[in-house]
Amino acid sequence: MKFELLNHIMRCIVLSAVQIFVLNNIALFDFATPYLFLFFIIALPLKIPNWALLSVAFLSGLTIDVFTSTPGMHASACVTVAFIRPFLLELISPREGYGSGNPPLIRSFGLQWFLTYSGILVVFHHVVLFMIELFRFSELHRLFGKAFVSALFTILLMVIIQYFNQSKKSFE
């Protein structure tokens, strides 16, 4: 139990550092930025209490906000994702159920399930984040375009990380 908690803390620290120091400086075609730190929230255990999920998501988003000078934007988008996560998990649950202790990753439930699960959460996060950033309805086409391309980039990185670490237990 203590090792699992330490594993989650290390994942949060590593993903936040990669986000702050590397990925925030990458802009694909000056349009899309991957937000890989979301993998921390997406990969949290299925049985985590809602209050803990919301708290961890808020702190994770706030950490990114502090280092990127985006007051509350990431925190609010992360809390929104944490809020809809339990409903989404219930909606897309496998026929045999989730079982106990399986993390919501590709090796536990398969690529198709993970792409559905992470795709919905990442797109939702990006739409909320960019809606707060743009804050006007006149640029909806830009908002959805930026959210979609950034989400594809983010999900691609999440899948690559999982396949890269498939032999290791570090992200489980």
Side-chain angles (χ1 to χ4, degrees):
M1 185 69 167
K2 289 181 182 182
F3 180 71
E4 186 178 333
L5 179 62
L6 182 63
N7 196 10
H8 291 301
I9 291 170
M10 288 304 297
R11 183 184 320 138
C12 180
I13 291 169
V14 168
L15 289 173
S16 295
V18 168
Q19 183 67 48
I20 292 164
F21 298 116
V22 178
L23 296 177
N24 283 344
N25 298 317
I26 295 175
L28 185 66
F29 304 116
D30 200 30
F31 188 68
T33 302
Y35 292 104
L36 188 60
F37 80 97
L38 279 175
F39 186 60
F40 169 68
I41 297 168
I42 287 173
L44 284 171
L46 296 171
K47 303 286 185 188
I48 188 170
N50 288 342
W51 66 267
L53 177 63
L54 290 168
S55 300
V56 166
F58 174 75
L59 292 174
S60 177
L62 189 62
T63 301
I64 301 300
D65 284 332
V66 166
F67 286 99
T68 59
S69 300
T70 54
M73 289 172 43
H74 290 282
S76 61
C78 287
V79 168
T80 305
V81 165
F83 181 77
I84 68 165
R85 182 180 182 248
F87 300 109
L88 178 63
L89 285 170
E90 187 175 317
L91 185 68
I92 64 169
S93 69
R95 197 173 291 158
E96 60 277 353
Y98 288 115
S100 62
N102 290 334
L105 300 174
I106 292 173
R107 75 175 66 138
S108 300
F109 299 105
L111 180 62
Q112 183 179 357
W113 181 90
F114 181 79
L115 289 176
T116 303
Y117 166 69
S118 64
I120 292 170
L121 290 179
V122 169
V123 167
F124 202 90
H125 171 272
H126 287 26
V127 167
V128 170
L129 179 70
F130 296 135
M131 193 176 296
I132 294 169
E133 178 185 322
L134 294 173
F135 205 67
R136 57 185 160 274
F137 289 110
S138 63
E139 296 192 39
L140 278 179
H141 63 285
R142 183 170 179 238
L143 179 143
F144 287 115
K146 191 173 180 179
F148 182 73
V149 175
S150 293
L152 285 176
F153 200 9
T154 302
I155 294 166
L156 178 66
L157 287 176
M158 287 181 189
V159 170
I160 289 170
I161 282 176
Q162 289 184 69
Y163 280 117
F164 181 70
N165 289 313
Q166 193 162 11
S167 62
K168 300 176 184 176
K169 298 286 183 182
S170 63
F171 277 86
E172 192 171 287

